[in-house]
Amino acid sequence: MKRQLSDNLVQLTTNTCVSNAQIGRVSLESVGSCTDVASIDLSYQTDGMAITTESSFARVADSVNEHIGTLEKNIIHIERLHSEAIYATSPFRYTQVLRTREQYADDTDAVITKARSGLQVMESAANDPNIHKGDRAMRGGRHVALARKLRDQIEIYRKMEREQATRNRDRLARLYKVACPSASDVEIYGAIEDPIAGKKLAQKITEVCRPAEARKVLKDVADRQGDIVTIERTVGELTKLHVDISEIVNRQQRKLDTIVVSVERVETSRTLGRFSEKGARHTAHIGHRRRTWWVILVTTALIIAITLVTTLGVLKSQGRL
C-alpha cells in the first residue's frame, strides 16, 4: 500500500489558513502552506462556500461527520481484506486482495485528509473573535465532538493495523516452519525481524527444498514481509495523526472551558445585579411607605391639635371654662 499520511502531516494550529482548504479538493500540503487566517475576515472556505453564518457552519460540520462515517465503513472493508490476505492460498488471489486493499487504503487516506481539513475550517470559525461568546461556545462544542469522533476512528484503525501486523508475523512463521521444519522459533522470528537472519534462513530453505518450491516459498515470504513493513509504517503514521487530533481536542476544549466560565461569570454578575436592583427597589418602597405614614401621623396630629384649640376657644367664649 502506498500511504501518504506521514508526508501530508501538518501542524494544526489555531491560526491555520483554511481559505484554500476546500474539502475533497485540496491536499494537506496546501493547507499547511497557507497564511494566517486570523488576518482574513470570515474567509473559512469549504467546497467553495465561506462560513459566515451558523447554517454554513452546520453544513461544514455535516460534511465532516459524513467523512468520518465513510472512514468507519472503509475500516470495516480493510479489516475484511486483511483477513482475506492472511488466508489467501494462491499468489494471484493474494495479489488481487492486496490491490483492492490498497485502493481502500488510499481512499481512506483521502477521507481522513478531507475530515482534517474540515476540522481546521471549523476550528478557525469557532475561534472567530468577532462573534458572540455563546456562538463560539456552540461552534467549539460541535468542533470538539467531531474531533473526538475522528480520533476514536483513527484509534480503531490503528489498533486493527497492529493486530494485522501480528497476524502477518504468525502467518509468516508458519510458512517458514512448513518450508524448514528443523528451524527453531528463535530462528524463525529472528528471520522475520532481522534481514541478516532472514538471509540465513532463506539459505537454509534453499538447501532443504527443491529449487522451484524454495523460490515459491521465499517469494511468498518476501511479499508478506513487505506487507508487514507497510502496515507498521501505517501504524506509525496513524499514531502521529492520533496525537495531532488529540492536541486539537485538548486545545479547543480549553478554549471552550474558558468561554463557558466567562459566560457563567457574566450570568452570575447579571443575577447579582438583578438581586441588587430588586433589593434597592424594595428598600425604596419601604422608605416611601415610611414617609407616607409619617405624613399621615403629622396630619392627624395637626387636625387633633386644631380641633382641641377650636373646641377650647368655643367653650371659653361660652363661659364653660
Side-chain angles (χ1 to χ4, degrees):
M1 275 181 290
K2 297 178 182 179
R3 297 303 179 90
Q4 300 298 326
L5 284 178
S6 60
D7 298 332
N8 292 334
L9 287 173
V10 296
Q11 295 181 348
L12 300 178
T13 57
T14 303
N15 292 325
T16 303
C17 174
V18 293
S19 60
N20 291 326
Q22 298 176 336
I23 293 178
R25 304 179 186 177
V26 70
S27 65
L28 286 181
E29 289 94 334
S30 63
V31 175
S33 63
C34 293
T35 55
D36 187 4
V37 74
S39 62
I40 307 176
D41 185 27
L42 296 176
S43 59
Y44 320 121
Q45 299 285 335
T46 176
D47 287 338
M49 177 180 60
I51 295 182
T52 56
T53 63
E54 295 308 318
S55 60
S56 58
F57 181 88
R59 285 194 291 272
V60 175
D62 291 341
S63 177
V64 172
N65 191 49
E66 183 179 349
H67 292 316
I68 295 174
T70 302
L71 171 61
E72 184 177 2
K73 293 177 182 178
N74 281 7
I75 290 172
I76 295 173
H77 288 303
I78 292 173
E79 185 175 20
R80 175 179 57 80
L81 291 169
H82 275 328
S83 297
E84 291 184 15
I86 283 290
Y87 298 110
T89 55
S90 68
F92 173 77
R93 178 57 183 165
Y94 180 71
T95 303
Q96 188 180 40
V97 171
L98 287 189
R99 286 176 180 173
T100 304
R101 192 186 66 185
E102 182 178 351
Q103 292 175 355
Y104 270 106
D106 291 342
D107 180 66
T108 300
D109 292 347
V111 168
I112 292 174
T113 298
K114 295 173 186 178
R116 292 184 67 193
S117 298
L119 287 175
Q120 287 178 319
V121 173
M122 292 178 66
E123 183 177 13
S124 297
N127 296 327
D128 184 1
N130 298 317
I131 63 176
H132 188 269
K133 287 183 178 179
D135 293 334
R136 290 210 303 273
M138 184 280 296
R139 291 182 176 185
R142 188 78 186 274
H143 174 256
V144 166
L146 287 174
R148 285 198 182 108
K149 191 174 180 180
L150 178 59
R151 181 184 62 182
D152 292 343
Q153 289 303 316
I154 293 298
E155 178 58 27
I156 292 172
Y157 192 10
R158 180 176 65 167
K159 182 179 178 182
M160 180 191 70
E161 293 290 274
R162 282 177 173 171
E163 291 174 352
Q164 179 61 20
T166 300
R167 293 172 67 190
N168 260 351
R169 282 187 173 85
D170 294 340
R171 173 69 174 174
L172 195 54
R174 288 194 296 271
L175 286 174
Y176 272 129
K177 196 67 176 177
V178 171
C180 187
S182 62
S184 65
D185 290 343
V186 175
E187 286 181 301
I188 290 173
Y189 282 98
I192 294 173
E193 303 297 336
D194 184 14
I196 296 177
K199 290 180 179 179
K200 292 181 179 179
L201 187 56
Q203 180 63 33
K204 193 172 182 180
I205 290 174
T206 57
E207 292 173 358
V208 299
C209 295
R210 289 176 297 181
E213 184 180 356
R215 284 195 300 270
K216 180 179 179 299
V217 170
L218 294 177
K219 183 181 184 307
D220 198 2
V221 166
D223 290 342
R224 293 187 182 275
Q225 280 186 318
D227 196 25
I228 290 174
V229 172
T230 300
I231 291 173
E232 289 182 340
R233 184 169 61 247
T234 300
V235 170
E237 294 162 358
L238 291 173
T239 298
K240 294 178 182 178
L241 184 59
H242 187 273
V243 171
D244 286 345
I245 298 176
S246 295
E247 290 177 356
I248 291 177
V249 172
N250 295 334
R251 181 171 64 243
Q252 191 63 41
Q253 187 62 55
R254 286 193 298 268
K255 293 179 180 179
L256 187 60
D257 291 342
T258 301
I259 293 173
V260 171
V261 170
S262 178
V263 171
E264 288 178 349
R265 287 177 178 174
V266 170
E267 290 299 323
T268 301
S269 299
R270 289 179 178 175
T271 302
L272 292 175
R274 285 195 294 269
F275 278 126
S276 299
E277 183 180 357
K278 185 177 180 180
R281 290 178 179 176
H282 182 66
T283 302
H285 180 65
I286 292 176
H288 178 71
R289 290 180 61 185
R290 286 179 179 175
R291 287 193 299 272
T292 301
W293 280 110
W294 275 110
V295 169
I296 292 173
L297 289 175
V298 171
T299 303
T300 302
L302 288 174
I303 292 172
I304 293 173
I306 292 171
T307 303
L308 287 176
V309 170
T310 303
T311 303
L312 290 175
V314 171
L315 292 175
K316 186 174 181 181
S317 63
Q318 294 178 354
R320 295 180 182 182
L321 292 177

